[in-house]
Amino acid sequence: VSSQQFSALTEVLFRFLTEPKEVERFLTQLSDFATMNKISLGPLKNIVKSILLVPNGALKRNLSSEQVRADFIALGLSDEKASYFAEQWKVNSPTLTRLAVGQTLMINQLIDMEWKFGVTAGSSELEKVGSIFLQLKLVIKKGSQMENVYIELTLPQFYSFLHEMERVKTSLESFS
Amino acid sequence: QLVSALHNLTRHVVYRGLTRAEDILSLFPENFHQNLKNLLTKIILENISAWRNEAQASQISLPRLVDMDWRVDIKTSSDSISRMAVPTCLLQLKIQEDVALCGNSPVVSALTMELSKETLDTMLEGLGRIRDQLSAVANK
């Protein structure tokens, strides 16, 4: 495989890694590559599969680009190609790491919050009320489904909620 | 019949929000026993604010927040990355279903959710806007 073809292939690989949902596009680009360079698709797919294993393992173990380069050379790749791949790795690893962190397990993730507040004007018990209420709608992702939770807060509750959330933010910031 | 009449009287007073003795006294018919009228008025006046508060508390409403709890965790590793230090927040809200529906045995459910730092920032932004709007309304 010439070095030009190799860099084109690496580009395709990294684009897929940074956008893992674009499976179809990746497969199309792979078959284009195969026809352009007169390589049959089957063995190309196998090679690509084994190449993909390296960045995934590197990501898991937080390898530096030096180590990635050494790994590739150990696998039998030429020096030049290994360096090229390691360079690409250095450039792309922040994105890849962020993606991996984003995929980490989250329990009942809060997706969205909507709110409205108003005044209770009257009720069947009290003719004139005039008390303020706040209504929150929280969208929570439970497993693969979304659940809407509606809650009502009184004003004092809202202020202590706000206060607590500010404390959480200070706490989170002190850890990052 | 007596109890039901008394009940209606107190409900009426609470509904109308009558707070002055004269208003309550005027509710009684002409030939009502004077001392009894005064005694009843006095008792009603004493209890009226407690009754109003209770009526407000047991209004129909969306589920209400009763308590909240939070904790901050640091995620150190997962099956996709073996070493990281990502802080995350776990928030638990205790929610009580509509009081009017539950009667004497309110159902309290606990909802636990996880917030990332970005989610928390967005939420605080939203809450801040609510606070600004509330103070704008209060200052009008």
Side-chain angles (χ1 to χ4, degrees), chain B residues 64-136:
Chain B
R64 288 189 206 166
L65 180 70
V66 250
D67 196 13
M68 73 162 269
D69 225 348
W70 59 266
R71 108 179 172 202
V72 169
D73 287 343
I74 310 247
K75 298 199 232 203
T76 48
S77 73
S78 81
D79 68 332
S80 40
I81 300 198
S82 59
R83 242 188 36 204
M84 57 179 179
V86 177
T88 183
C89 166
L90 276 176
L91 180 64
Q92 185 184 75
L93 300 174
K94 288 226 180 71
I95 301 178
Q96 185 184 55
E97 293 303 314
D98 191 351
V99 175
L101 279 179
C102 301
N104 284 328
S105 46
V107 178
V108 180
S109 56
L111 176 68
T112 313
M113 55 186 116
E114 194 172 326
L115 287 76
S116 67
K117 189 159 184 308
E118 294 84 37
T119 320
L120 180 70
D121 286 338
T122 317
M123 183 193 230
L124 272 176
E125 226 180 297
L127 292 178
R129 257 180 282 152
I130 300 178
R131 181 189 50 197
D132 296 336
Q133 287 193 6
L134 280 174
S135 30

Side-chain angles (χ1 to χ4, degrees), chain A residues 64-101:
Chain A
S64 71
S65 60
E66 269 306 303
Q67 290 163 309
V68 172
R69 196 173 81 98
D71 269 348
F72 264 119
I73 295 181
L75 284 172
L77 206 57
S78 79
D79 217 4
E80 191 194 312
K81 292 184 187 149
S83 308
Y84 183 76
F85 197 92
E87 267 309 299
Q88 289 293 308
W89 170 256
K90 212 195 310 194
V91 166
N92 282 305
S93 66
T95 323
L96 292 175
T97 324
R98 222 177 312 137
L99 269 179
V101 172

Side-chain angles (χ1 to χ4, degrees), chain A residues 1 25 31-33 42 44 47 49-52 86 89 94 97 120 133 143 145-146 151 156 159-160 170:
Chain A
V1 182
R25 191 181 71 181
S31 54
D32 284 345
F33 185 83
L44 178 64
I47 299 180
K49 244 185 257 188
S50 25
I51 300 186
L52 275 179
W89 170 256
T97 324
T120 308
F133 61 84
Q145 288 174 311
M146 300 287 194
I151 24 180
Y159 284 115
S160 46
T170 327

Side-chain angles (χ1 to χ4, degrees), chain A residues 27-47:
Chain A
L27 290 175
T28 337
Q29 283 176 333
L30 260 190
S31 54
D32 284 345
F33 185 83
T35 30
M36 252 201 320
N37 297 297
K38 305 204 182 73
I39 318 173
S40 50
L41 196 52
L44 178 64
K45 275 199 185 162
N46 285 336
I47 299 180

